[in-house]
Amino acid sequence: MEYTNYIKINKDNLNYNLNYFNNKYNYQYLLLDVSNNAYSHGMYIIKYLKDNIYLYINNFNDVILARKYNKNIAIIYGGEITLDNVYDLLINNVILLLKSSFILKKIKTNDNINIMLNIDTKGYDGINTQEELNEIINIINNHSNMNLLGIISKVTEDDYLEFRNLISNLTNLQLIILNNEEDKKKIKLSNGIKLNSSIYGLNRAPSKKLFQKEEVKEYKQVFTLKTHIVKITTEIVKKKTKILGVIPFGSLNGLNTTITHVSIHKKLYKILKIFPEYTLIEIDKNVNILDTVEVTSNNNPLENYFPENTLNYFNLFNNLPIIYEDYTLEKTFIY
């Protein structure tokens, strides 16, 4: 089946990003955030992940979707845990990230429960008192079906000593994830890091100069948004003839004026005007009808236009089919 507008996933770019990160940073475990349908890349992407990777998911629907494609990969569930969903989470073999002792005191089951603790010295989104931590440890120690795997925390230099004192009674932990996307330099004790945008090749540090040719990109954008030229026409402006190409992708598809160029044959062409259902591109004689147009790709990455909120903008490209080399996902039927 052929599509007019679609998203193509490049698994080679994904593997490049993973290998680049592993070579640059020394972590035993990677915790990759695949929430919101793997940031709209499609959950099928987990089929290409390697053995030392854990998944982080913050909503139950994505847990079900991930299990559709991989029954065994380790999933840490960081969303809200309630009596309404906890048993379904356990049936789907997820690791519960506890932010308080409340739900642990309510669970009544003989099933194995693997647990991570979210430590937050400020107490906004996790455990921050020795009393509550000791209560959780006692509950786990008194139940042979409960296993404490490790901890997750966003630690800073200012609260590191307070953090160390808080976890002083925790020993023999398998996973200690103290770093995250914003702080990749390894913190002492940590053997893992939580990642989201870099592995997808999105939301990297902005260029000093837009489209700077000599700049070396650390990560490659994993997704390409493709369409094609459906019509070519000419227009005379101030006695100068312009060749215009029409693509069937406009503002209703998520394109806005912040994106100023598209890529055709790895060359950038200027967007002249965006309409609800189509867009005009200034092209040259090297472009033909049905030529593939990359609205955004590794040749024309979103970070050139949205250095600080790339992931949020990507989510505007909704209801587009997601094409893998060996699989096609219809986003409207994901769940």
Side-chain angles (χ1 to χ4, degrees):
M1 184 176 181
E2 295 184 357
Y3 298 92
T4 299
N5 305 314
Y6 62 95
I7 289 172
K8 180 69 180 292
I9 302 300
N10 189 322
K11 69 176 183 180
D12 291 335
N13 285 358
L14 174 69
N15 289 328
Y16 173 91
N17 294 340
L18 288 169
N19 291 332
Y20 178 90
F21 187 90
N22 283 327
N23 290 333
K24 186 172 182 179
Y25 302 98
N26 183 27
Y27 286 98
Q28 185 177 357
Y29 300 103
L30 300 183
L31 177 57
L32 179 59
D33 196 336
V34 293
S35 303
N36 302 313
N37 195 23
Y39 289 95
S40 301
H41 288 74
M43 197 64 76
Y44 191 78
I45 203 169
I46 69 176
K47 294 180 72 69
Y48 304 118
L49 299 181
K50 300 179 180 181
D51 294 338
N52 68 330
I53 292 183
Y54 284 67
L55 302 184
Y56 178 86
I57 291 176
N58 66 6
N59 66 84
F60 182 71
N61 280 341
D62 279 325
V63 170
I64 301 302
L65 188 57
R67 285 291 177 239
K68 176 181 177 181
Y69 299 116
N70 192 314
K71 301 295 183 184
N72 300 312
I73 194 168
I75 296 174
I76 296 177
Y77 178 76
E80 185 179 11
I81 304 172
T82 68
L83 286 176
D84 291 329
N85 68 13
V86 65
Y87 297 105
D88 289 324
L89 290 169
L90 295 177
I91 289 172
N92 282 280
N93 189 29
V94 304
I95 301 164
L96 302 182
L97 180 62
L98 299 184
K99 300 179 180 181
S100 72
S101 61
F102 175 78
I103 196 66
L104 198 59
K105 293 184 289 187
K106 301 291 184 179
I107 299 175
K108 306 295 181 183
T109 181
N110 292 322
D111 294 334
N112 290 329
I113 305 176
N114 289 312
I115 296 168
M116 295 282 292
L117 301 180
N118 202 68
I119 307 296
D120 180 2
T121 57
K122 292 182 172 58
Y124 300 141
D125 190 42
I127 301 157
N128 75 319
T129 67
Q130 196 70 61
E131 291 76 15
E132 186 169 29
L133 190 56
N134 289 338
E135 182 180 27
I136 292 173
I137 294 172
N138 288 334
I139 294 174
I140 293 173
N141 290 338
N142 289 327
H143 291 81
S144 59
N145 63 319
M146 295 184 182
N147 177 37
L148 179 58
L149 287 179
I151 59 174
I152 295 178
S153 182
K154 288 188 176 181
V155 183
T156 65
E157 185 177 348
D158 292 338
D159 60 8
Y160 184 70
L161 290 178
E162 183 181 356
F163 167 79
R164 285 294 302 271
N165 290 332
L166 182 60
I167 66 166
S168 59
N169 292 334
L170 298 178
T171 58
N172 301 319
L173 299 176
Q174 176 181 334
L175 277 173
I176 304 176
I177 301 175
L178 308 183
N179 293 87
N180 55 73
E181 188 74 31
E182 291 75 37
D183 184 11
K184 298 184 180 71
K185 184 178 179 182
K186 192 171 185 179
I187 296 176
K188 191 175 181 180
L189 297 180
S190 184
N191 64 3
I193 184 170
K194 182 176 179 289
L195 298 171
N196 47 45
S197 58
S198 60
I199 297 304
Y200 298 108
L202 297 171
N203 206 24
R204 294 163 286 181
S207 306
K208 292 182 180 179
K209 184 179 179 182
L210 199 62
F211 307 122
Q212 191 172 351
K213 291 183 179 181
E214 64 271 18
E215 181 186 18
V216 177
K217 301 290 188 181
E218 286 190 308
Y219 303 100
K220 296 182 178 180
Q221 187 169 301
V222 171
F223 87 98
T224 298
L225 198 163
K226 293 188 177 185
T227 184
H228 63 268
I229 298 290
V230 293
K231 188 175 182 180
I232 293 177
T233 185
T234 59
E235 182 178 282
I236 299 177
V237 179
K238 296 181 180 179
K239 298 183 180 181
K240 182 180 179 181
T241 300
K242 288 186 177 182
I243 306 175
L244 307 181
V246 181
I247 60 173
F249 196 90
S251 59
L252 292 179
N253 305 103
L255 187 60
N256 71 33
T257 54
T258 309
I259 295 181
T260 59
H261 292 75
V262 298
S263 177
I264 307 173
H265 307 313
K266 295 185 179 180
K267 178 181 177 180
L268 293 179
Y269 290 89
K270 185 178 180 180
I271 293 176
L272 293 180
K273 192 168 183 179
I274 300 171
F275 295 87
E277 296 182 351
Y278 67 93
T279 296
L280 298 181
I281 314 296
E282 185 174 2
I283 59 174
D284 54 34
K285 293 180 180 180
N286 296 318
V287 177
N288 300 297
I289 290 178
L290 297 183
D291 278 357
T292 297
V293 177
E294 297 176 353
V295 175
T296 178
S297 66
N298 195 55
N299 299 314
N300 185 33
L302 278 181
E303 68 178 37
N304 281 340
Y305 312 99
F306 304 93
E308 296 181 357
N309 63 347
T310 303
L311 287 172
N312 292 335
Y313 186 78
F314 181 33
N315 290 329
L316 294 177
F317 300 135
N318 52 16
N319 297 324
L320 293 179
I322 304 173
I323 311 297
Y324 286 80
E325 292 178 7
D326 56 347
Y327 198 71
T328 299
L329 294 170
E330 286 278 8
K331 290 180 71 172
T332 51
F333 301 111
I334 285 295
Y335 296 128

